[in-house]
Amino acid sequence: GQQVQQSPASLVLQEGENAELQCNFSSTATQLQWFYQSPGGSLVSLLSNPSGTKHTGRLTSTTVTKERRSSLHISSSQTTDSGTYLCAIDRNMGYKLTFGTGTSLLVDP
Amino acid sequence: EAAVTQSPRNKVAVTGGKVTLSCNQTNNHNNMYWYRQDTGHGLRLIHYSYGAGSTEKGDIPDGYKASRPSQENFSLILELATPSQTSVYFCASGGQNQAPLFGEGTRLSVL
């Protein structure tokens, strides 16, 4: 079955609203990574957060390892935040990542 | 500046033909990866490498070969391309304890 599940599949916000993206995984993860993919573009690493809470800019990730879940909070969304947010885990040491199918975010002006 | 460069960016191939996708990194990373991305599946790992001369099978290696002739270069080879291999392919490179850097992707259509 799906090892990494993300929800919601898609999300539409008005600029300035906050977003909460969820990632649940079925295996123990030694690494957990959030990526951003622009429409038709490549992937950019946002945060590495295998456990606890991490912040960068308007992004906050909280990972509860025992419950095998992670969230990504985007505050004060901007139109440029539109794209797909991908969660990925690695079950072993190293970065052989297993990806979720992503959350597609659209921020309207 | 760290970079992963893929070529070609777009490719149309015929069924049964041979396709080679190339990837070059200037980051001096030991690890390199090939993923494919399809709607409904996310990114899936095809092959990876820990250094020059090494290749390892990922989660979906069937129908693909990989070659790592040098630290900088990692190729993905489709000996007999099939329409089911139509996809977007991403190469990435990474160090031991850092998230991989991804290339811009190669859009492959097999007709």
Side-chain angles (χ1 to χ4, degrees), chain B residues 35-64:
Chain B
Y35 290 89
R36 64 178 283 178
Q37 185 176 32
D38 304 285
T39 303
H41 286 282
L43 278 86
R44 292 178 290 175
L45 182 63
I46 306 170
H47 283 288
Y48 60 98
S49 168
Y50 289 129
S54 93
T55 61
E56 306 289 340
K57 293 180 179 180
D59 297 323
I60 54 163
D62 292 347
Y64 302 94

Side-chain angles (χ1 to χ4, degrees), chain A residues 70-88:
Chain A
S70 181
S71 64
L72 182 69
H73 181 87
I74 306 172
S75 63
S76 304
S77 63
Q78 301 173 0
T79 56
T80 52
D81 293 333
S82 298
T84 301
Y85 291 79
L86 296 161
C87 173

Side-chain angles (χ1 to χ4, degrees), chain A:
Chain A
Q2 185 73 274
Q3 295 189 37
V4 181
Q5 294 183 307
Q6 293 187 244
S7 61
S10 62
L11 186 59
V12 180
L13 299 175
Q14 291 297 122
E15 195 168 27
E17 293 182 324
N18 298 330
E20 188 86 10
L21 283 56
Q22 302 292 337
C23 176
N24 292 276
F25 43 97
S26 56
S27 305
T28 303
T30 56
Q31 298 286 354
L32 186 137
Q33 192 75 30
W34 284 96
F35 289 90
Y36 168 76
Q37 186 174 27
S38 58
S42 185
L43 283 76
V44 174
S45 173
L46 295 174
L47 279 169
S48 174
N49 188 24
S51 65
T53 298
K54 289 196 175 177
H55 306 273
T56 181
R58 294 181 292 107
L59 304 178
T60 301
S61 173
T62 299
T63 299
V64 183
T65 310
K66 287 185 178 179
E67 297 180 12
R68 296 181 180 171
R69 60 179 175 86
S70 181
S71 64
L72 182 69
H73 181 87
I74 306 172
S75 63
S76 304
S77 63
Q78 301 173 0
T79 56
T80 52
D81 293 333
S82 298
T84 301
Y85 291 79
L86 296 161
C87 173
I89 65 167
D90 186 27
R91 303 181 300 279
N92 308 297
M93 295 308 294
Y95 268 95
K96 300 185 299 294
L97 297 171
T98 299
F99 283 83
T101 53
T103 293
S104 177
L105 175 64
L106 176 63
V107 181
D108 287 330

